[in-house]
Amino acid sequence: ILANLGENYAAGFLELPEAPPVLRWSRAVRRRLEGMLPAPYAGTRLYPCGAQRNPGRDAVLAPSYSFTWSFNRAELDRRLEGADAAAHDAWQTLRREMDAVEKQLSQPAIPHLVGGNGYTHSIPNYGRVIREGLDSYEQRVRAGLEQGPSDFLLGMLDVLAGVRAWRDHLVAELDRTRAVDAEAAFRRQRLLDALRHVPFRPARNFYEAVLAYNFIFYLDGCDNPGRVDFELEPFYQRDLAEGVT
């Protein structure tokens, strides 16, 4: 019901009610990425690019890089007005679940309390992604699972599945967009060729490294770009040495 109402993140979280938190939030991430709609491609050199808005989607429960989630109670109350019986029950179930989670994580007020329930921001390992590709992450996760069960590693498989779905959405949007001129056609085809390779396989040149870097930056909510110069310079220097333009 929540997925049909555009609340994919909430639907994913409620999908595994008896599972440990790491599995529940990983499933939420997966369902959100599977349900996200890419912005129309406008002939830019990078994609995604600019504001990425999904009106009406994940408006009540959404990811937050400062607090894991953002729970909009006012929006939930608004959605309850006029909701049919099934939707009303779904919204109330979500409220009860989030009340329970927030109660578990409540902390005493002290002078030096770290915000975000102990978590604030982070920097993705851009360098490893562009050098090794996300397929190598999946290989390491599966190798770890062969050593024994792990909720964390199972959650990572869900996250990777969501990331792959989001990449496929971007490719599909590029594939159905018709170019308005030769320059736009060149950019579109270059993006298509690259996104079918990165970020799941290692970047082969500076352009693919930049594109994979940009993909992860947007995936993380455009929070922190990290050491762009340090991570991308080897690809830039190699292209210069090889005469790649």
Side-chain angles (χ1 to χ4, degrees):
I1 293 169
L2 288 173
N4 289 336
L5 293 169
E7 293 293 319
N8 295 298
Y9 194 65
F13 177 67
L14 294 182
E15 192 174 317
L16 304 171
E18 305 302 322
V22 66
L23 287 177
R24 299 189 73 184
W25 289 115
S26 296
R27 182 60 57 89
V29 169
R30 176 178 179 172
R31 296 304 186 217
R32 173 177 176 268
L33 293 172
E34 288 173 342
M36 277 176 57
L37 300 176
Y41 175 61
T44 51
R45 289 183 173 86
L46 290 177
Y47 188 66
C49 182
Q52 304 293 302
R53 297 187 179 92
N54 273 255
R57 290 174 181 262
D58 301 317
V60 174
L61 187 65
S64 166
Y65 45 66
S66 289
F67 291 88
T68 301
W69 65 80
S70 172
F71 183 37
N72 190 334
R73 294 176 182 275
E75 178 64 18
L76 188 150
D77 290 337
R78 191 187 71 79
R79 299 288 186 93
L80 278 170
E81 297 177 7
D84 60 31
H88 189 278
D89 185 58
W91 291 125
Q92 294 291 41
T93 299
L94 177 62
R95 188 199 301 276
R96 288 193 299 270
E97 288 285 333
M98 295 310 300
D99 285 346
V101 169
E102 292 180 350
K103 183 178 180 180
Q104 286 178 327
L105 295 176
S106 62
Q107 300 177 11
I110 58 176
H112 304 292
L113 182 67
V114 175
N117 292 318
Y119 174 84
T120 53
H121 299 262
S122 61
I123 302 174
N125 195 341
Y126 295 100
R128 189 164 194 175
V129 173
I130 63 179
R131 290 191 301 270
E132 300 179 15
L134 291 178
D135 280 345
S136 73
Y137 279 64
E138 183 168 343
Q139 291 167 5
R140 286 188 284 120
V141 168
R142 294 192 182 280
L145 286 170
E146 289 177 0
Q147 306 303 311
S150 166
D151 291 333
F152 175 76
L153 294 179
L154 287 172
M156 292 306 96
L157 288 180
D158 256 351
V159 171
L160 285 165
V163 174
R164 193 178 297 276
W166 173 234
R167 190 280 305 270
D168 291 346
H169 291 335
L170 295 173
V171 168
E173 173 62 23
L174 288 167
D175 207 27
R176 62 175 164 258
T177 301
R178 302 276 70 85
V180 296
D181 54 40
E183 177 65 20
F186 170 78
R187 291 179 180 178
R188 170 187 165 277
Q189 190 58 52
R190 194 182 190 194
L191 282 165
L192 264 174
D193 293 342
L195 275 174
R196 286 172 173 150
H197 186 84
V198 295
F200 285 90
R201 286 177 283 177
R204 297 169 293 189
N205 50 51
F206 179 65
Y207 175 75
E208 288 187 350
V210 170
L211 191 61
Y213 208 106
N214 179 73
F215 180 97
I216 300 299
F217 180 59
Y218 272 87
L219 186 69
D220 193 46
C222 299
D223 181 22
N224 196 321
R227 287 292 305 276
V228 180
D229 54 345
F230 178 80
E231 301 293 5
L232 292 179
E233 197 219 4
F235 292 89
Y236 178 70
Q237 294 296 344
R238 189 174 68 190
D239 276 13
L240 282 181
E242 295 176 359
V244 177
T245 59

